[in-house]
C-alpha cells in the first residue's frame, strides 16, 4: 500500500453546484405542491457552493475518484480486455471525504465569483438563468491511498493527470458536460514516508463540514 501526497492546481475556474434546499424545493415545485422562494443571485450561488463550518470552501473527494474512473476508461488492464475504470474503485481511496480549496498561496478560500448562465431543466425542458459559485485561481491538496498490489502508483499518477486535462471536476466540466470548468494539473505527487512506528504522518488540513 502506498500513501501519496497530491497537489492539484486549477487551470480554469471551478464551478460548484451543490444540491441544496432551493434545488430540492424546485423539484417539489414541479409537482405544484409548494412555491419556491425567490433568491438573489448571491443567495442562489451561496446555496450552490460547498462551505465548511469555518467558512472555507471545499469540494467532495468523490469528484476525484469519479474523474480517475472516467480517465481510466481510456486505458486497458494488463492481460485483460477490461479498462482501468473498473479497477480504480477497488484500488484507490481518498483519505478524507472532502478536499480543501486553497488560493495559490495555499490559504483556504472563502469567497467566490457568481457565474450566471442559461440552463435547461431536463425534465420540463424549461430554461432559466442559474447562478452558481465560480472559483478562480484554486488549488487543492489531499492524500491518496493506493493498493499497489492491484495498480501501480505511477499509473494512477498518469490517470490523474489525464483526468485533470480532459475530464475535470465540478459542474459544467469537459466530461460529461462538454464545458470548460474544473480542469487542473498535478503539481505535486510525493509518496509519504512511514514514521518510526510504521504509520504515515499527515499535515493536511481538512475542513470541518457545516451541518447543512
Amino acid at each position: 500500500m502506498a500513501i501519496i501526497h497530491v497537489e492539484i492546481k486549477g487551470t480554469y475556474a471551478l464551478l460548484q453546484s451543490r444540491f441544496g434546499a432551493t434545488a430540492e424545493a424546485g423539484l417539489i415545485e414541479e409537482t405544484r405542491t409548494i412555491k419556491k422562494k425567490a433568491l438573489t443571485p448571491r443567495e442562489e450561488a451561496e446555496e450552490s457552493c460547498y462551505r465548511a463550518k469555518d467558512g472555507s470552501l471545499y469540494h467532495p473527494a468523490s469528484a476525484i475518484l469519479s474523474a480517475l474512473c472516467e480517465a481510466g476508461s481510456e486505458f486497458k488492464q494488463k492481460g485483460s480486455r477490461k479498462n482501468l475504470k473498473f479497477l480504480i474503485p477497488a484500488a484507490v481511496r481518498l483519505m478524507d471525504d472532502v478536499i480543501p480549496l486553497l488560493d495559490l498561496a495555499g490559504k483556504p478560500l472563502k469567497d467566490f465569483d457568481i457565474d450566471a448562465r442559461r440552463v435547461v431543466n431536463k425534465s420540463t425542458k424549461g430554461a432559466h438563468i442559474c447562478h452558481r459559485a465560480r472559483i478562480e485561481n484554486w488549488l487543492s491538496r489531499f492524500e491518496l491511498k493506493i493498493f499497489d498490489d492491484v495498480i501501480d502508483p505511477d499509473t494512477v499518477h498518469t490517470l490523474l493527470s489525464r483526468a485533470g486535462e480532459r475530464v475535470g471536476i465540478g459542474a459544467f466540466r469537459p466530461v460529461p458536460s462538454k464545458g470548460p470548468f474544473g480542469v487542473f494539473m498535478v503539481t505535486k505527487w510525493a509518496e509519504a514516508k512511514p514514521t518510526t512506528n510504521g504509520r504515515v504522518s499527515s499535515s493536511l488540513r481538512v475542513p470541518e463540514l457545516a451541518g447543512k
Side-chain angles (χ1 to χ4, degrees), residues 42-109:
R42 169 59 64 175
E43 289 172 335
E44 185 180 350
E46 179 63 38
E47 284 216 342
S48 77
C49 79
Y50 294 92
R51 192 179 293 282
K53 287 184 177 180
D54 64 358
S56 63
L57 299 171
Y58 67 89
H59 204 76
S62 58
I64 298 295
L65 286 180
S66 294
L68 280 170
C69 288
E70 192 64 45
S73 64
E74 301 180 19
F75 297 85
K76 296 290 186 181
Q77 298 180 34
K78 290 183 179 179
S80 173
R81 299 179 64 180
K82 290 185 176 180
N83 57 48
L84 292 177
K85 178 178 182 178
F86 302 99
L87 196 62
I88 293 299
V92 182
R93 300 280 189 280
L94 270 91
M95 302 294 283
D96 295 286
D97 292 334
V98 303
I99 59 173
L101 295 179
L102 313 171
D103 64 20
L104 299 186
K107 297 180 179 179
L109 281 166

Side-chain angles (χ1 to χ4, degrees), residues 7-10 100-106 109 137-141:
E7 180 182 273
I8 60 174
K9 178 182 177 182
L101 295 179
L102 313 171
D103 64 20
L104 299 186
L109 281 166
N137 302 318
W138 61 277
L139 62 83
S140 186
R141 294 168 182 155

Side-chain angles (χ1 to χ4, degrees), residues 143-191:
E143 292 174 341
L144 289 177
K145 178 192 292 185
I146 301 173
F147 295 94
D148 50 8
D149 58 331
V150 179
I151 189 171
D152 185 73
D154 288 340
T155 300
V156 181
H157 189 184
T158 299
L159 292 180
L160 187 60
S161 297
R162 183 67 63 91
E165 294 171 356
R166 302 187 181 183
V167 181
I169 61 175
F172 204 30
R173 59 189 181 272
V175 178
S177 306
K178 299 181 175 63
F181 292 93
V183 289
F184 58 85
M185 67 174 71
V186 180
T187 50
K188 179 180 178 181
W189 181 274
E191 186 169 354

